[in-house]
Amino acid sequence: MRPQDVVTVPAPSADSPAPAPVEVEQAEAALIEHYPRLVRIAYLVLPPSLGRNRRVLTAHAIAQRSLPRARTAPAAGGVPHPRSATGAADPGYAYVRGRVLRQALEAGLPLRRLARPRRAQFPPLLPHVWGLRVFPRSGGADELALDQRLCALSGPARAAYVLRRLEGLTVAEVRGALSAAGVEDVEAALTDANGMRDQDGQGAGRAAALLGSSEFDPCSLQVRPPDLMRRRQHAKAALVAVAALTVCGALLGLPGDGWGPNGAAAPVYARNPAAEAALDPGRLTRVSPTAWQVSSRRDFSVWPTRGTHTEDRALLRRALAVWARPGSGVQVSATPGTPSGPPMGPAQLLFAGEVDRARVVLLYDGLRVARYAEPVGDDGLDGGAALDFARTDGADAASASALVAGRTDGNVRYLTAPWVRRATVRELLDPTGDPRPLARDADGVTAPLPSPAQARECVAWEALELDDGSAARVLTDLGELTPARLTYGPPGAPKDVTAAAARAAWARTACLLPGVRTHGVRSVNSWQYAQQALPEANGTAAWLCTRAETWRGTGSRVMTQFQPPAPRPDAPGAIAARAEDSPSCGVREPRVLAGVLWKSRAGQWYVLAAGSEQFGSLAVSGGVEGQTAGRMLAVRAKEGTRAELTGRLPDGTRVGALD
């Protein structure tokens, strides 16, 4: 916190009059008058993990639920009142804003078994949009950069930053607003918010203008269709489920001992033979150390059983029991789209041993890898056990090269596949540097290396490079049980990150990987689809498209980068556009079009755009007009120009830019 932000808050005087209660009509008038601003505040404070569509709907729902339930409500005591031009306070607006802040912060709290859930933690019933996805209009490079920095903050820190920058409150007023909203560690939130304010290096007016832009306006929306094939499949599944429930309901009502309460049902879980087999350590599948050498496939099914505790039946029994019935003290995590239920039968034992200060068991059931960990010495009875799941169906030799064995003190250890001959560490931000050796023990567990997924700042990005004799594959930790494979090249023929051009591209892309962290990512491919000579002889810029594929097949994330000449080889590129569940830059649709507003060294602004080789012409309209017969476009513009970019394929098909 900077010295000028340190203030002393005087205690309220006993003689000060108590704030007058807020009438429902007064709060309703404030809500109607300031509705767009209140919804914007809720949208900015809500956790980014909800996705833009749900954040928009939840922000509107929170604002609409912020009226007091009684005819009068207590005034927002410590919450500062916004002041009009004449200096008068509006307690109605202060009360509603306080309710909005509290609900937006509650929406980011995790659901706990024994805690009473809050309404804001669930998807809103109203408003609701059927058959469409809604999200704010995309902004420029500054708005996207601000959005990335906001995503890295906690909910209270985002709230503090918004109150300071957008609402223009003082530190003392922000402290009172956060306390009234139920924030426990107000000082930590203020420190993080001030740290971000120092990082962005922008004045209060510029930051307020960015927060007030269309990038963060949930009242000015774009609409796109959802995944139409998935919706059709869900509709068919719903019809089948309704039919099955109807039949089962009729059969349950039949008289006699046939299909009555227990007629065709399986025995209870403890007496089910399949369930008992799945919980028996003696029934675990154990693969020999040489099975992978004669097998026709290379995936987790041919990993040998390794570790120093493979005969510890008590440990294995605890791991299987926790997998089947995790208690309230077990920390359970699963990648998106990964079921966390018990195995259907005996699982395969991959590893059982000690990693750092924990006993670790890795199990595989053909669909998932499960990792059970407990602190050494407490047998998992003191609430320190953890259970992690990752989906691994369809794995091959590349994606089954390693698993995370343990995380401690910001470091990560991997268990490598038996076919890996050599392990090294590759610093992605140093494209010309040599990899350094990484030691492994007899079981294939690596020495610890810093985890970029747990770092707060991107000052280094150390990736794991594994050589199996035929290829050197680069993997990186994205906070999940399975590391993600990094590749470079066109969508139809990506290659490992071994060439100089691939390493140079990833040196400027690695620091953007936090945007796909903890999304069940299987691989990330970066592809330079165009190279553009900049106007006024400002050098040559590269256009890249980076696509993250998931294990579940859906939920892919795509972003395009604009990489102008930079003084450092690791300077991150500017994100030109991004999309979720888009086929662009993939095997199904290996094309992309994107544009940016760029300023030359002489101070002239330009709209620059580039498309992949499938495009025959480009055009820009709106704030500026222009077109070109090729797949590169550069048109003079003014600062803040907003334009619509389109391209045409050789057959005349009109295609819009990625958004």
Side-chain angles (χ1 to χ4, degrees), residues 109-188:
L109 299 176
L111 288 170
R112 303 188 182 278
R113 292 190 177 184
L114 301 181
R116 180 181 177 184
R118 308 296 178 88
R119 186 176 181 184
Q121 294 175 276
F122 297 97
L125 296 177
L126 290 174
H128 199 86
V129 179
W130 289 92
L132 290 173
R133 294 178 62 85
V134 296
F135 47 89
R137 301 184 65 87
S138 298
D142 291 342
E143 288 87 351
L144 291 172
L146 176 60
D147 187 31
Q148 275 197 314
R149 292 195 296 271
L150 286 173
C151 290
L153 294 179
S154 64
R158 282 195 302 275
Y161 185 87
V162 170
L163 292 175
R164 286 281 285 144
R165 290 300 206 185
L166 183 63
E167 294 287 273
L169 303 185
T170 65
V171 173
E173 290 173 332
V174 172
R175 184 179 287 110
L178 295 181
S179 299
V183 175
E184 295 181 358
D185 196 346
V186 174
E187 296 303 326

Side-chain angles (χ1 to χ4, degrees), residues 554-631:
T554 60
S556 61
R557 297 199 168 191
V558 183
M559 62 181 175
T560 55
Q561 297 178 58
F562 174 71
Q563 295 184 351
R568 302 192 334 267
D570 60 344
I575 299 178
R578 56 186 174 182
E580 301 177 18
D581 281 322
S582 171
S584 297
C585 292
V587 177
R588 289 172 50 198
E589 193 176 286
R591 64 171 184 262
V592 65
L593 171 63
V596 295
L597 186 63
W598 171 80
K599 184 180 180 181
S600 70
R601 289 193 293 264
Q604 175 62 48
W605 289 91
Y606 289 86
V607 171
L608 303 181
S612 53
E613 61 183 6
Q614 294 86 350
F615 287 88
S617 64
L618 304 181
V620 63
S621 60
V624 66
E625 302 286 338
Q627 60 182 4
T628 180
R631 60 189 184 102

Side-chain angles (χ1 to χ4, degrees), residues 349-387:
L349 177 60
L350 303 179
F351 176 84
E354 290 191 9
V355 180
D356 294 325
R357 298 184 293 273
R359 282 190 289 259
V360 175
V361 179
L362 288 169
L363 301 164
Y364 174 65
D365 69 350
L367 171 67
R368 306 160 294 173
V369 168
R371 176 183 177 272
Y372 171 79
E374 64 181 28
V376 174
D378 72 351
D379 296 339
L381 299 178
D382 295 337
L387 184 64

Side-chain angles (χ1 to χ4, degrees), residues 47-405:
S49 59
L50 296 179
R52 290 189 291 174
N53 180 73
R54 182 172 165 187
R55 281 173 69 192
V56 167
L57 299 179
T58 304
H60 282 275
I62 285 175
Q64 295 171 17
R65 291 200 303 261
S66 296
L67 289 177
R69 298 185 180 182
R71 295 299 301 173
T72 60
V79 181
H81 300 159
R83 292 164 176 79
S84 65
T86 60
D90 183 1
Y93 175 82
Y95 174 84
V96 175
R97 185 179 62 191
R99 292 286 302 272
V100 167
L101 279 176
R102 177 179 289 273
Q103 294 181 78
L105 292 172
E106 289 174 351
L109 299 176
L111 288 170
R112 303 188 182 278
R113 292 190 177 184
L114 301 181
R116 180 181 177 184
R118 308 296 178 88
R119 186 176 181 184
Q121 294 175 276
F122 297 97
L125 296 177
L126 290 174
H128 199 86
V129 179
W130 289 92
L132 290 173
R133 294 178 62 85
V134 296
F135 47 89
R137 301 184 65 87
S138 298
D142 291 342
E143 288 87 351
L144 291 172
L146 176 60
D147 187 31
Q148 275 197 314
R149 292 195 296 271
L150 286 173
C151 290
L153 294 179
S154 64
R158 282 195 302 275
Y161 185 87
V162 170
L163 292 175
R164 286 281 285 144
R165 290 300 206 185
L166 183 63
E167 294 287 273
L169 303 185
T170 65
V171 173
E173 290 173 332
V174 172
R175 184 179 287 110
L178 295 181
S179 299
V183 175
E184 295 181 358
D185 196 346
V186 174
E187 296 303 326
L190 285 169
T191 300
D192 292 343
N194 287 333
M196 174 176 165
R197 190 181 63 178
D198 294 337
Q199 289 176 7
D200 60 28
Q202 298 171 341
R206 178 58 178 163
L210 291 177
L211 291 174
S213 66
S214 60
E215 172 77 13
F216 309 106
D217 184 8
C219 292
S220 178
L221 303 172
Q222 296 184 98
V223 296
R224 292 291 185 274
D227 190 328
L228 300 179
M229 294 301 297
R230 288 182 64 193
R231 186 171 71 181
R232 184 179 300 175
Q233 293 171 359
H234 290 171
K236 292 180 180 178
L239 289 175
V240 173
V242 170
L245 287 174
T246 303
V247 173
C248 291
L251 291 174
L252 288 173
L254 292 177
D257 296 330
W259 282 55
N262 300 311
V268 296
Y269 187 82
R271 299 203 312 267
N272 188 315
E276 290 180 340
L279 295 176
D280 184 0
R283 302 287 295 274
L284 286 171
T285 301
R286 298 168 183 259
V287 177
S288 69
T290 59
W292 66 274
Q293 299 175 356
V294 297
S295 174
S296 60
R297 56 193 295 179
R298 283 194 177 183
D299 56 15
F300 294 109
S301 66
V302 295
W303 273 35
T305 300
R306 291 174 285 179
T308 57
H309 288 53
T310 57
E311 302 302 326
D312 188 342
R313 292 179 63 89
L315 171 64
L316 299 179
R317 186 178 296 280
R318 288 195 299 273
L320 292 170
V322 170
W323 186 355
R325 304 181 307 278
S328 58
V330 179
Q331 300 178 13
V332 181
S333 69
T335 57
T338 304
S340 57
M344 295 179 289
Q348 176 185 342
L349 177 60
L350 303 179
F351 176 84
E354 290 191 9
V355 180
D356 294 325
R357 298 184 293 273
R359 282 190 289 259
V360 175
V361 179
L362 288 169
L363 301 164
Y364 174 65
D365 69 350
L367 171 67
R368 306 160 294 173
V369 168
R371 176 183 177 272
Y372 171 79
E374 64 181 28
V376 174
D378 72 351
D379 296 339
L381 299 178
D382 295 337
L387 184 64
D388 304 316
F389 293 96
R391 187 168 174 173
T392 57
D393 52 318
D396 54 16
S399 54
S401 295
L403 290 172
V404 171

